Amino acid sequence: LHVRSRRQRQMCIRDSLEGLMLELNQLHIVDPNEINAILRLSDYGRLGGYIFRVIGSTRWSTILAKGKYIIAALRKERCGNS
């Protein structure tokens, strides 16, 4: 890869990870085990990934265990794509 392309890719990865961490913080997901599971299952917040569709389309006021909900959705998506 060209140096500029590699740098742009690294910035996108960093931005998507930071964006995901911000979203999890806003949802009050603070359990380190849940955060680590979400990061792994979501490919560390890959831009355009399923994780952002889940976060954007869920009515969070009706969900009590938000971290567990996201983990279950990501696992279901992963199994469906295998």
Side-chain angles (χ1 to χ4, degrees), residues 6-17 47:
R6 187 177 318 129
R7 191 173 308 127
Q8 287 175 329
R9 192 172 118 243
Q10 290 170 338
M11 287 174 56
C12 284
I13 291 168
R14 186 200 71 224
D15 291 347
S16 60
L17 177 58
L47 281 178

Side-chain angles (χ1 to χ4, degrees), residues 18-67:
E18 288 178 7
L20 177 55
M21 293 301 292
L22 179 63
E23 292 286 349
L24 297 179
N25 186 48
Q26 290 176 345
L27 291 170
H28 305 286
I29 298 171
V30 295
D31 180 312
N33 293 324
E34 290 182 350
I35 291 171
N36 287 332
I38 291 167
L39 291 176
R40 283 192 316 275
L41 290 166
S42 70
D43 195 19
Y44 295 86
R46 182 175 43 87
L47 281 178
Y50 182 69
I51 182 68
F52 293 106
R53 288 189 298 253
V54 170
I55 290 172
S57 66
T58 301
R59 292 185 53 210
W60 293 108
S61 61
T62 63
I63 308 294
L64 296 177
K66 294 173 176 66

